[in-house]
Amino acid sequence: MGGESRYDNAPAVAYPKLVGQPVGQHIHNIYRDRLGQFTGGGQYASKNLLSMMDEGRASGDEHVKLSVYSVPDLARPSFKEATSNSFKPTHVGESFGPSWSTHWFKIHLKVPTELREKAHLEFHWDANNEGLIWTQDGEPVHGLTGGGERTEWILPKSWRDGKTHLFYIEMACNGMFGNAPGGDSIQPPNPDKYFQLQKADIVAVNLEARALFVDFWIIGDAAREFPDDSWEEHKALEVANSIVNAFVPGSQESIIRCRKIAQEYLGDHVDSAKVYESDQTPIVYGVGHCHIDTCWLWPWAETKRKVARSWANQCDLLDRYPEHRFVCSQAQQYKWLKEYYPALFDRVKAHVKRGTFQPIGGSWVEHDTNLPSGESLVRQFLYGQRFFESHFGERHTTFWLPDTFGYSSQIPQICRLAGMSRFLTQKLSWNNVNRFPHTTFNWVALDGSQVLAHMPPCETYTAEAHFGDVKRSVTQHKSLDQDNTSLLVFGKGDGGGGPTFHHIEKLRRCRGLSDKTGLLPRVHMGDSVDDFFARLEKKAREGTKFTTWDGELYFEFHRGTYTTHAKNKRGNRKSEILMHDLEYMATLASILDSIEENKKPAYRYPKQDIDDLWEMILLCQFHDCLPGTSIHMCYDDSDKVYAEVFERGQALLNQALSTLGFTDATRGNGRNMVAINTLPWPRTELVRVPGETKTASSSAYKLVRSEGGIGGVEDVSSMERKLHAKIDEPKSGVFRLSNNDFVVQVENGAITSLMDLKAKREIIPQGSKANQLVLFDDKPLYWQAWDVEVYHLETRQELESGKSRIVDAGPERVSVVSETKISEHSWAKTTISLAASVNDRPSYVEIETEVEWRESMKFLKVEFPVDIRNTEASYETQFGVTRRPTHYNTSWDMAKFEVCCHKWADLSEHGYGVSILNDSKYGFATSGNLMRLSLIRAPKAPDAHADMGRHHIRYAIFPHQGPLDSRTVRAAFNFNNPMQMYSTSNNGSSKATSLLSAIKAISRDPEQGDEDDDGEDNDNDNHTSLILDTVKRGEDDEDVSRDDLPKRKGRSLILRVYDSLGGKSRGVIETWLPVKKVWKCNVLEDDEEEIIFKDGKFKLELRAFEIATYRLQL
């Protein structure tokens, strides 16, 4: 029965009974280390794969005849200019320089007979510097990097005809990262660097050997980077060693066999885009990218050439690799390409139309977001989006900003107002204190607006498309609970270049490996960044709840960028203010004919000039220019730009004012003098008259009262009894300044007492000193211009002032000046002033400091200890307020030992507070009750001369009863926008001059009955936080528009209003202008909602920190 069953399943082939040769286990580390011999240089190069990479090579005058034109004076001529010059013979081995010079090479090339039938011919050129290949007809076709990177150009097949062919190479005497000496790229450039031409060869490339090189690269990475306890790692090591064993030097057949072996691990589709056609679901999405710093270790002029070099290469790769998608941001760079390389621009446009070259970002440049004003941030998007829409037919939905040093809390709101709901960066991966906890998340602005943000988990925007980059796209992903997908942004960057063919080939093999073997995250090529975000948004609609991050994305690194290159930052602040006034006055002048009967337009809104000026300002806001982290050449350039902005801008402003009936006060002989107030609230101030000095019978000051627009000017000589600004010296070296609000005691240049008379409160703690200049050692770990580290605070040195003296004795203003020796070569002269109180307007203690600065690796700050306690301080940011800790409870708190502010910082407790105002500074810190304004740094890299020279700085102490409110906001605006004196022939009574009061922003609703009878602002009103920040003409007005975009008939005014303090705000805009309709629109000026306009007014209601834009159709 059952016991009779018989085992009869013997194997078809018997397992050998006797052992053969002994077989040992591979010694893992030895076999792994062996892999480097197969593709490395050195002693085995003649016997390994490198010996088979070429099938032939030709050089020398018979085949590659060289001549050169060396351009004088570091000029960068056009193709036509350069090639019209005489060329002299040259040869491989000759050196060219100095740094930043340009040399044009004329190359006569003839392919030798023995190479004409080879499958693939390239021209190899390497002088260890950058270059651009031009056709004989003047078309740029290929960029060269040098130093073994991107040195090849595929020769046209038609050149195998035995004839001599001509082309040109434009050599730039700089590397991808400029001209730094030695191996430290951020050191100041060597001005006398020379580059030797090392290679100019025709090469027959062994494409199978090149492909095997990449096969082996990826399999070797798997053997090195997969876990030792995984079968995939062991299999990779087995396959790689099998390839080494199968290779026979000189045998093309062995290369074919090796590639067959590689297919065991990579699959058999890695030689084409077909590898991405499997039905397996990817989670990593590769996109090519070329980050080109608009300036950094090279000037703008070189960036223009970097753009051409980089994008010409990408056009070539897009032709060769159907899966390749290339993204690049910065409208400025596209504009340069259009201007200087029109043929290449057309080539780019063709690829954009096909969807393979993908403009992205929506901004003019990849700008800093800490330092520009709110309106500047708006203009970055306005000018960027309009350029992209005008030239490529689309606006962008993703704000692309991978390399900026922190991200303002209002960026998400401005993005949404500019048509963008998505955001990409990665810079927070550089944090040197805390690790940012999210990869994919919702970033929320102060007003509650959100964008969907993604930070590529491989933590770079210049990935090399290595095996490890794909792997880290999952292993470093911090949002896997919500979504496991990520972007892999790859390509040479910072100095340009973008993806290479090696990058694309490696990713093909990574995908093949994932499908054939597994374990490596599956990567996909061919999708866009928008496709990636669209999938995330779809998940959100289907119920995925992405984590949220409210407020600023504070960068725990590069905190010194708030202060470095003070002159540049001052130029930015002053140019922003100039543009505000220019656009306001030009707008009014351009509609003058609409209010004067039978008047023909005599003034045309200078849109082209305004666009030019804005584009220059926006360019200087690039994230390595405005923060102060570029080489000295860049600041020579930006100094010229700001000088032109001020010269042209002031001339345009004067033209607009002249149209409105105003002339410079110095040319009006003091007759019919008025002051112009460009801010939207009443002001009463003492203003110093240009060119006038105080005499026994007259004052150099005038009292200006402005309800809005034009301010009446009153002589103060008869008011001296009412003016109460006094100064005395109760004892030697101690000065007492007083007005109706304060008594200030100054001793040795510092304020030892500040008494608020109305509050009966001493502001300076006993034994402390405000306006105390302090000096710190400033030696960060590496990034000099970028960083200031927390340990610098331990090197604090108080600077003692020398003699002090009275310079203004009142009654309009009193001042005492003190001189401070900083070192043998540096000094500071500080003037502390107190103006007379006028009409119970809030007053402040003003300080003007002139500094001669010749230091090295030092940091100058000024301190203000105050008798205030709060765990948070408030700082003005763009269109709002950011609150930050004053304590070091956690590492997140301590990391904010230096922060960014704009025109003011404030520390308040219940019932009282102190604000520090400034006219051009951005670095600040509040530690406990100590407020500290950062003034000047002295880094020596990458600009050895950063901040050297004379500085003029204004700041003020503004104490206030009650909490932080509109008094601080308005005082800071007033401090930065002093009223200017003008003469007018009509005493401000004509319709033209009345235009200055044609638009009124009332920060409350009159129908609610809270309008003051006297017309003065009530600073305690809940709605005075509304700021009318911008008045300009509509971009699409038919008499203004310059873009190839649809135009609107008629004329319109754009008003931008925001809530400055963080609460629901109501108000009214009143105007007697002939307004037909009012629309609420976005910052791109698309109409979104019609607003009721009745009886010359329309109501406003803004949520906390909302930015609102209105278009008034005339």
Side-chain angles (χ1 to χ4, degrees), residues 766-778:
Q766 186 174 1
S768 298
K769 294 177 287 186
N771 193 48
Q772 175 64 58
L773 293 173
V774 287
L775 195 65
F776 299 86
D777 287 342
D778 191 13

Side-chain angles (χ1 to χ4, degrees), residues 867-918:
D867 189 17
I868 303 288
R869 175 162 176 78
N870 200 325
T871 57
E872 286 187 328
S874 300
Y875 304 86
E876 186 192 36
T877 189
Q878 299 94 341
F879 298 128
V881 180
T882 297
R883 294 178 175 86
R884 302 183 179 104
T886 61
H887 55 78
Y888 294 161
N889 283 2
T890 70
S891 59
W892 293 88
D893 301 324
M894 189 171 181
K896 295 178 180 177
F897 62 85
E898 180 86 2
V899 299
C900 182
C901 77
H902 278 231
K903 297 186 291 294
W904 57 264
D906 182 84
L907 182 63
S908 293
E909 61 187 22
H910 177 68
Y912 203 86
V914 175
S915 302
I916 304 299
L917 318 179
N918 78 82

Side-chain angles (χ1 to χ4, degrees), residues 696-864:
S697 59
S698 66
S699 172
Y701 291 84
K702 301 289 185 182
L703 181 66
V704 176
R705 304 177 193 269
S706 168
E707 295 302 316
I710 298 174
V713 176
E714 303 174 26
D715 189 81
V716 300
S717 299
S718 60
M719 302 173 58
E720 288 192 359
R721 293 181 181 179
K722 298 181 180 179
L723 298 176
H724 180 76
K726 299 179 180 179
I727 188 169
D728 64 350
E729 188 176 3
K731 62 180 181 179
S732 178
V734 178
F735 300 88
R736 186 166 53 203
L737 298 73
S738 64
N739 63 11
N740 292 334
D741 297 318
F742 305 122
V743 176
V744 183
Q745 182 169 295
V746 177
E747 189 172 353
N748 294 325
I751 298 171
T752 55
S753 173
L754 174 51
M755 174 65 71
D756 185 329
L757 298 174
K758 293 179 179 177
K760 300 180 181 178
R761 177 167 181 153
E762 173 61 58
I763 294 165
I764 310 301
Q766 186 174 1
S768 298
K769 294 177 287 186
N771 193 48
Q772 175 64 58
L773 293 173
V774 287
L775 195 65
F776 299 86
D777 287 342
D778 191 13
K779 303 182 185 71
L781 296 175
Y782 175 67
W783 300 93
Q784 284 196 47
W786 293 259
D787 285 344
V788 57
E789 294 294 354
V790 66
Y791 53 75
H792 87 285
L793 297 172
E794 300 171 15
T795 67
R796 177 181 179 274
Q797 174 191 350
E798 283 191 11
L799 298 176
E800 294 186 7
S801 294
K803 293 183 178 180
S804 300
R805 56 188 174 85
I806 296 171
V807 290
D808 287 309
E812 306 93 346
R813 180 185 182 94
V814 292
S815 305
V816 59
V817 63
S818 305
E819 297 182 8
T820 302
K821 182 179 179 180
I822 299 172
S823 70
E824 291 299 319
H825 307 289
S826 303
W827 52 262
K829 183 187 294 184
T830 301
T831 303
I832 301 173
S833 302
L834 191 64
S837 305
V838 179
N839 284 16
D840 295 325
R841 293 286 88 186
S843 58
Y844 46 71
V845 181
E846 180 177 350
I847 300 103
E848 294 185 59
T849 299
E850 180 182 7
V851 181
E852 177 66 19
W853 185 248
R854 300 290 174 185
E855 297 302 296
S856 177
M857 303 182 194
K858 297 290 184 180
F859 201 154
L860 182 67
K861 306 187 183 187
V862 60
E863 295 180 341
F864 306 93

Side-chain angles (χ1 to χ4, degrees), residues 108-222:
H108 291 88
L109 182 144
K110 183 179 180 180
V111 177
T113 304
E114 65 271 18
L115 297 184
R116 290 174 196 165
E117 300 303 319
K118 298 295 184 181
H120 185 82
L121 296 183
E122 295 178 350
F123 178 69
H124 288 194
W125 172 278
D126 197 348
N128 204 34
N129 57 14
E130 293 193 274
L132 180 61
I133 297 177
W134 296 75
T135 68
Q136 182 178 359
D137 298 326
E139 181 179 349
V141 292
H142 194 77
L144 302 163
T145 299
E149 289 279 0
R150 212 185 309 263
T151 58
E152 73 289 331
W153 174 49
I154 300 174
L155 291 176
K157 289 188 179 296
S158 61
W159 287 18
R160 301 165 184 243
D161 56 4
K163 297 179 181 179
T164 298
H165 297 270
L166 172 65
F167 65 100
Y168 294 87
I169 292 181
E170 177 188 15
M171 174 194 283
C173 283
N174 52 265
M176 182 178 283
F177 292 93
N179 279 306
D184 188 347
S185 64
I186 72 163
Q187 294 307 308
N190 176 359
D192 198 32
K193 201 168 183 179
Y194 280 74
F195 298 84
Q196 185 181 55
L197 177 58
Q198 299 168 351
K199 187 184 299 183
D201 298 345
I202 302 169
V203 181
V205 176
N206 185 339
L207 291 180
E208 286 295 330
R210 180 179 281 179
L212 178 59
F213 184 94
V214 186
D215 292 343
F216 192 81
W217 189 342
I218 295 302
I219 296 170
D221 279 352

Side-chain angles (χ1 to χ4, degrees), residues 233-251:
E233 187 267 351
H234 287 265
K235 180 66 174 177
L237 190 58
E238 175 197 336
V239 170
N241 274 276
S242 295
I243 290 172
V244 176
N245 294 337
F247 176 75
V248 177
S251 169

Side-chain angles (χ1 to χ4, degrees), residues 546-648:
F546 292 104
T547 54
T548 58
W549 182 275
D550 266 83
E552 69 175 330
L553 294 172
Y554 178 82
F555 186 35
E556 297 177 356
F557 210 37
H558 293 3
R559 304 168 185 87
T561 59
Y562 313 143
T563 305
T564 308
H565 266 291
K567 181 181 179 182
N568 206 48
K569 292 172 169 60
R570 182 180 181 85
N572 178 70
R573 176 83 63 88
K574 300 305 180 185
S575 64
E576 289 171 335
I577 292 169
L578 173 61
M579 293 306 294
H580 169 276
D581 292 353
L582 168 57
E583 288 186 316
Y584 179 36
M585 293 303 166
T587 295
L588 298 181
S590 72
I591 61 171
L592 177 59
D593 61 295
S594 69
I595 64 168
E596 294 190 349
E597 296 180 6
N598 302 319
K599 186 172 181 67
K600 295 181 179 179
Y603 176 88
R604 185 177 179 85
Y605 190 76
K607 186 63 164 66
Q608 179 167 344
D609 291 298
I610 287 173
D611 288 348
D612 289 347
L613 297 179
W614 265 119
E615 288 177 11
M616 287 190 279
I617 294 167
L618 300 179
L619 170 61
C620 290
Q621 290 171 352
F622 177 73
H623 68 253
D624 275 308
C625 184
L626 184 54
T629 53
S630 292
I631 61 173
H632 191 76
M633 296 171 74
C634 299
Y635 297 105
D636 288 340
D637 289 343
S638 66
D639 285 350
K640 293 174 184 176
V641 166
Y642 284 126
E644 182 177 352
V645 167
F646 295 134
E647 181 179 0
R648 287 178 61 183

Side-chain angles (χ1 to χ4, degrees), residues 445-515:
L446 293 177
D447 77 314
S449 299
Q450 66 177 0
V451 291
L452 183 56
H454 181 71
M455 298 186 183
C458 66
E459 297 187 349
T460 180
Y461 52 88
T462 58
E464 290 286 347
H466 288 320
F467 175 100
D469 291 322
V470 177
K471 180 184 173 186
R472 286 186 291 274
S473 293
V474 170
T475 59
Q476 295 180 168
H477 199 302
K478 299 187 285 292
S479 301
L480 293 174
D481 290 346
Q482 290 82 41
D483 182 76
N484 64 351
T485 65
S486 64
L487 280 174
L488 173 60
V489 182
F490 68 91
K492 304 288 183 180
D494 290 338
T500 67
F501 73 88
H502 269 137
H503 293 144
I504 302 172
E505 294 286 354
K506 283 189 288 181
L507 289 178
R508 284 180 174 181
R509 285 151 180 82
C510 286
R511 175 57 182 263
L513 188 160
S514 299
D515 287 344

